[in-house]
């Protein structure tokens, strides 16, 4: 059975809503995706620092889904861009997933690319025990889904990732420091 990207998006949104609001311990099931959002957020800070001519020294993810990107930049404007990079990264990655993963083949490409990017950051910047456990586990899951899951399932997963990443900054703005 072939599934359209629109149908996959509706199905992914229903799963996310049910896990968040109906399923007992649903938030616990969403925990790996929360950690993935933290990785996207912190990587956004670091890549924004690099884009402004600064340095991305290390990426730290904690088990409570918090983290930080240790970076160095040389100007107040670069500091502002670096700070915004973390907040902009999840919705930009979510939007990019929605645009790219519009079919099973494209979902395979999107999930495989995300898995590869996780491994690149693991090699270059991840420097915390939780990060060293979570980042390769997420990469393995996404890589496995990209190549072994049925086409409909990987399309739903790509859409699910997109809709869980897109609203991420809203939740982070509460108590963001």
């Amino acid at each position: 059975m072939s599934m359209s990207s629109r149908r996959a998006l509706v199905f992914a949104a229903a799963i996310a809503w049910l896990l968040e609001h109906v399923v007992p311990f649903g938030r616990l099931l969403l925990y790996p995706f929360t950690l993935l959002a933290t990785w996207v957020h912190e990587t956004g800070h670091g890549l924004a620092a690099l884009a402004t001519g600064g340095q991305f020294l290390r990426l730290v993810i904690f088990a409570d889904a918090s983290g930080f990107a240790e970076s160095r930049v040389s100007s107040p404007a670069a500091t502002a861009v670096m700070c915004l990079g973390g907040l902009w990264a999840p919705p930009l990655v979510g939007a990019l997933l929605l645009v790219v993963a519009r079919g099973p083949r494209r979902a395979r490409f999107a999930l495989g690319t995300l898995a590869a990017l996780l491994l690149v950051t693991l090699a270059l910047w991840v420097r915390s025990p939780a990060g060293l456990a979570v980042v390769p586990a997420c990469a393995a899951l996404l890589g496995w889904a990209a190549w072994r899951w049925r086409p409909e399932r990987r399309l739903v997963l790509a859409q699910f990732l997109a809709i869980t990443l897109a609203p991420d900054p809203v939740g982070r703005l509460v108590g963001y420091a």
Side-chain angles (χ1 to χ4, degrees):
M1 175 180 110
S2 180
M3 181 181 289
S4 71
S5 61
R6 183 173 292 156
R7 184 180 218 173
L9 180 61
V10 169
F11 195 61
I15 291 170
W17 186 84
L18 287 170
L19 287 173
E20 182 76 25
H21 300 287
V22 177
V23 174
F25 304 105
R27 288 184 184 210
L28 185 59
L29 295 173
L30 289 171
Y31 176 71
F33 300 102
T34 303
L35 292 171
L36 184 64
T38 299
W39 171 79
V40 171
H41 174 90
E42 299 306 339
T43 301
H45 285 305
L47 293 178
L50 288 174
T52 60
Q55 295 177 313
F56 185 4
L57 303 172
R58 68 183 174 134
L59 189 152
V60 175
I61 298 173
F62 297 111
D64 68 355
S66 65
F68 65 88
E70 184 178 344
S71 304
R72 288 198 183 113
V73 291
S74 60
S75 72
T79 300
V81 170
M82 181 193 64
C83 290
L84 288 172
L87 292 174
W88 287 348
L92 288 175
V93 170
L96 191 59
L97 279 170
L98 284 174
V99 168
V100 170
R102 294 189 52 86
R105 278 191 191 152
R106 295 172 98 192
R108 172 181 278 168
F109 172 77
L111 295 173
T113 300
L114 196 52
L117 292 172
L118 280 156
L119 293 176
V120 167
T121 61
L122 177 67
L124 296 176
W125 300 300
V126 175
R127 301 290 182 265
S128 63
L132 291 170
V134 166
V135 171
C138 285
L141 173 66
L142 294 176
W144 176 60
W147 294 104
R148 294 294 197 181
W149 282 16
R150 292 193 334 231
E152 310 83 45
R153 287 186 180 172
R154 70 175 169 252
L155 180 57
V156 170
L157 177 60
Q159 300 290 338
F160 181 83
L161 289 174
I163 63 171
T164 57
L165 288 172
D168 183 68
V170 175
R172 290 186 188 271
L173 285 175
V174 178
Y176 189 75

